[in-house]
Amino acid sequence: SSKEATQITAPDVTTTYNTDTNFVITLKNSNNNPIANAAITVDLGTGAKTYTTNSNGQVTIPTKDLSAKTYDANINFAGDNNYLKSSNSVKIVVKKATPKITAKTKKFKVKTKIKKFTATLKDNKGRVMKKVKIYLKVKGKTYKAITNSKGKATFKITKLNKKGTYRTKITFKANSNFNAATKTIKIKVK
């Protein structure tokens, strides 16, 4: 008996880092019926992994653990006693996520030597970002702080010893998975 032709379909996926998006692959026979319990290998450039199709002939792969970049997903069904092999290749684009900085306008007394100012950094899902460097620029001077386990960074500002309102810019620099983020607030010294 001759083997039946098969077809792998999978739409291209565009998602954002850290987001729960699924990459769905479907294996069907020549009559457009799903093929269950078939072994499909998927290689995203980091080595092939094998999955088994469900009763709908589908394999679902979550993308939330993928780093931000473009992947060429090479999908292969090796064939078996009944079916001919088939393959397909699609793109998975994982875009960088944008974190969020929160900080409040703060008032300090002129005579406070070290003015402690805090800002919080959270990812695109609202989860705190730990052990990450952020920067605060005020009156031409840049201060650096690292977020703690609660996503809070504490800046020790030493050069604001005149009364006034200062426009302050807080910055997170882009990395491989996250876009840069900035927040501008006012610091008042009285």
Side-chain angles (χ1 to χ4, degrees), residues 95-107:
K95 294 178 176 173
K96 287 185 185 189
T98 303
K100 188 169 185 231
I101 298 168
T102 49
K104 290 187 178 84
T105 298
K106 194 154 174 171
K107 289 174 185 163

Side-chain angles (χ1 to χ4, degrees), residues 5 13 23 32 34 89 110 115 136 150 157 182:
V13 174
F23 172 49
N32 213 23
S89 163
V110 164
K115 299 170 175 67
L136 177 145
K150 296 190 170 85
I157 304 166
T182 59

Side-chain angles (χ1 to χ4, degrees), residues 96-99 101 121 129 132-135 171-182:
K96 287 185 185 189
T98 303
I101 298 168
L121 185 68
M129 290 175 71
V132 175
K133 255 184 226 162
I134 55 176
Y135 301 86
T171 305
F172 164 80
K173 292 188 174 167
N175 65 22
S176 56
N177 289 322
F178 289 96
N179 291 312
T182 59

Side-chain angles (χ1 to χ4, degrees), residues 86-128:
S86 55
S87 63
N88 198 348
S89 163
V90 298
K91 278 203 181 341
I92 298 176
V93 179
V94 181
K95 294 178 176 173
K96 287 185 185 189
T98 303
K100 188 169 185 231
I101 298 168
T102 49
K104 290 187 178 84
T105 298
K106 194 154 174 171
K107 289 174 185 163
F108 291 102
K109 293 194 166 87
V110 164
K111 61 175 182 279
T112 306
K113 273 211 164 58
I114 296 173
K115 299 170 175 67
K116 286 187 180 174
F117 181 83
T118 61
T120 303
L121 185 68
K122 290 186 176 176
D123 69 15
N124 52 318
K125 287 287 179 188
R127 289 184 292 247
V128 298

Side-chain angles (χ1 to χ4, degrees), residues 16 100 144:
T16 302
K100 188 169 185 231
K144 173 174 85 177

Side-chain angles (χ1 to χ4, degrees), residues 13-90:
V13 174
T14 300
T15 184
T16 302
Y17 175 72
N18 215 1
T19 305
D20 301 321
T21 304
N22 285 326
F23 172 49
V24 181
I25 300 159
T26 308
L27 178 67
K28 289 185 173 177
N29 65 15
S30 53
N31 296 323
N32 213 23
N33 291 320
I35 303 171
N37 301 315
I40 284 182
T41 60
V42 180
D43 192 344
L44 300 178
T46 52
K49 284 188 182 160
T50 304
Y51 301 87
T52 304
T53 58
N54 64 13
S55 59
N56 298 320
Q58 291 184 327
V59 166
T60 300
I61 302 170
T63 63
K64 72 171 168 25
D65 298 326
L66 295 178
S67 300
K69 64 175 189 179
T70 298
Y71 298 85
D72 288 310
N74 292 305
I75 310 157
N76 285 290
F77 168 58
D80 58 24
N81 296 337
N82 302 313
Y83 295 107
L84 293 168
K85 67 179 184 178
S86 55
S87 63
N88 198 348
S89 163
V90 298

